[in-house]
Amino acid sequence: MRTYYRGPGGLVTETHFVRVEGRLFSLDGLRDVGRVQRRDAYFVPVVVGAVTAVAAAAILALSVERPWAWVVVAAIAVGAVVVLSRSRLTYSLQATYQGVETELCSTTDAESFAKVCRALNRALQDSQFR
């Protein structure tokens, strides 16, 4: 049996996709395979808080008319950028398996995710020609 991928994202063979915990999916039963990217759950509240903090600091800086106030605005803006940059993307491979929406794998590692996707794509294409 040909193995297309074996790693932290699972196992892809010529007939099956096997998740890390061992759940087995027949390639013949997979439909509507797709990729989804999402941010951490706290991303939107952090964006709202960061924009609010920078806007409030800017309004305060305009009202006090002191040069140091703009340093505070810049410091808050830099802090917001640092916090937002720490929010990771989660990559998810989803499909319909025997009529049920299923998550095949999920990771924050873009390179590993790309390898799993390429392997599954090759396996699905090859299975069409058998």
Side-chain angles (χ1 to χ4, degrees):
M1 180 181 306
R2 182 173 180 189
T3 299
Y4 290 88
Y5 176 81
R6 179 188 310 264
L11 172 69
V12 180
T13 70
E14 63 185 353
T15 58
H16 291 87
F17 181 95
V18 183
R19 285 201 323 205
V20 176
E21 76 278 356
R23 182 150 181 224
L24 190 74
F25 299 94
S26 169
L27 295 186
D28 295 335
L30 291 177
R31 302 284 179 264
D32 304 323
V33 178
R35 303 170 189 176
V36 177
Q37 295 179 14
R38 61 183 181 275
R39 292 276 181 185
D40 295 332
Y42 69 87
F43 184 74
V44 171
V46 169
V47 169
V48 170
V51 169
T52 302
V54 170
I59 290 169
L60 182 64
L62 287 170
S63 67
V64 296
E65 297 179 3
R66 300 274 192 250
W68 59 264
W70 290 105
V71 173
V72 172
V73 172
I76 291 172
V78 167
V81 167
V82 168
V83 168
L84 291 173
S85 69
R86 302 191 97 219
S87 174
R88 299 169 129 188
L89 272 175
T90 300
Y91 304 93
S92 178
L93 186 59
Q94 299 181 342
T96 302
Y97 185 67
Q98 297 177 345
V100 178
E101 288 285 325
T102 305
E103 184 175 85
L104 299 175
C105 74
S106 181
T107 182
T108 57
D109 181 5
E111 186 177 335
S112 171
F113 182 72
K115 289 178 183 177
V116 171
C117 290
R118 279 192 305 270
L120 183 58
N121 190 34
R122 281 193 311 261
L124 287 170
Q125 287 175 350
D126 289 353
S127 72
Q128 292 175 355
F129 297 111
R130 275 187 264 134

